[in-house]
Amino acid sequence: MDIISQLQEQVNTIASLAFNTFGTLQRDAPPVRLSPNYPEPLANSSESTTDIAEQPKLMSAVLVKAAKQFDALVAALPVSEGGEEAQLKRIAELKAENDTIGQELQKQLEAAEEELKQVQELFNQAADNCLNLKKLD
């Protein structure tokens, strides 16, 4: 897999981890009293509270690890040589090459269409000749 695909995959992984982390934090957050007018919320059991306290640490560690992997992939990207001017020059060269090849392909397409017309005409003539021979019999 090329490095750009790896970067895209890593971004998707980070997004998925963040989504799951935030969802888990929201789901497992302890209830909070919003106003003195409301009754005191029920407390969670002590067993699940221990797990809930550790889970954000584990999930954040996985998220940080994924972010570090992304940083490593970014660092592995090739450094552009010559700066922006060299890149713009290279883009112009590639565009000119693309235009030249496009013109060649267009000429080949036109020649192929002309040849197709000739073949169709010859086929029609051959078909007409065959029909004319059958009528003579």
Side-chain angles (χ1 to χ4, degrees), residues 79-91:
V79 179
S80 63
E81 297 176 11
E84 188 175 343
E85 289 180 20
Q87 289 178 356
L88 292 174
K89 181 180 177 184
R90 179 69 178 143
I91 289 171

Side-chain angles (χ1 to χ4, degrees), residues 38-60:
Y38 292 110
E40 192 67 35
L42 299 175
N44 292 337
S45 67
S46 61
E47 288 181 55
S48 65
T49 305
T50 306
D51 292 340
I52 291 173
E54 290 298 316
Q55 198 169 23
K57 293 176 186 175
L58 295 173
M59 295 181 92
S60 63

Side-chain angles (χ1 to χ4, degrees), residues 3 6-7 9-11 13-14 17 62-76:
I3 194 153
Q6 290 175 356
L7 282 168
E9 185 65 31
Q10 194 62 27
V11 167
T13 300
I14 290 171
L17 287 170
V62 171
L63 193 57
V64 167
K65 182 180 176 186
K68 286 181 179 180
Q69 288 174 344
F70 180 82
D71 289 342
L73 287 170
V74 169

Side-chain angles (χ1 to χ4, degrees), residues 18-37:
F19 180 81
N20 290 334
T21 300
F22 300 148
T24 301
L25 289 173
Q26 182 181 11
R27 179 194 69 206
D28 296 342
V32 176
R33 187 173 184 184
L34 298 175
S35 166
N37 298 333

Side-chain angles (χ1 to χ4, degrees), residues 56-121:
K57 293 176 186 175
L58 295 173
M59 295 181 92
S60 63
V62 171
L63 193 57
V64 167
K65 182 180 176 186
K68 286 181 179 180
Q69 288 174 344
F70 180 82
D71 289 342
L73 287 170
V74 169
L77 284 171
V79 179
S80 63
E81 297 176 11
E84 188 175 343
E85 289 180 20
Q87 289 178 356
L88 292 174
K89 181 180 177 184
R90 179 69 178 143
I91 289 171
E93 290 171 0
L94 290 172
K95 186 176 179 186
E97 182 181 341
N98 187 35
D99 291 342
T100 302
I101 293 172
Q103 290 172 356
E104 286 180 32
L105 287 174
Q106 186 63 35
K107 288 177 185 176
Q108 289 177 1
L109 177 63
E110 290 169 1
E113 287 174 346
E114 184 63 35
E115 189 174 338
L116 176 63
K117 286 180 186 177
Q118 291 174 356
V119 169
Q120 287 174 336
E121 287 176 19

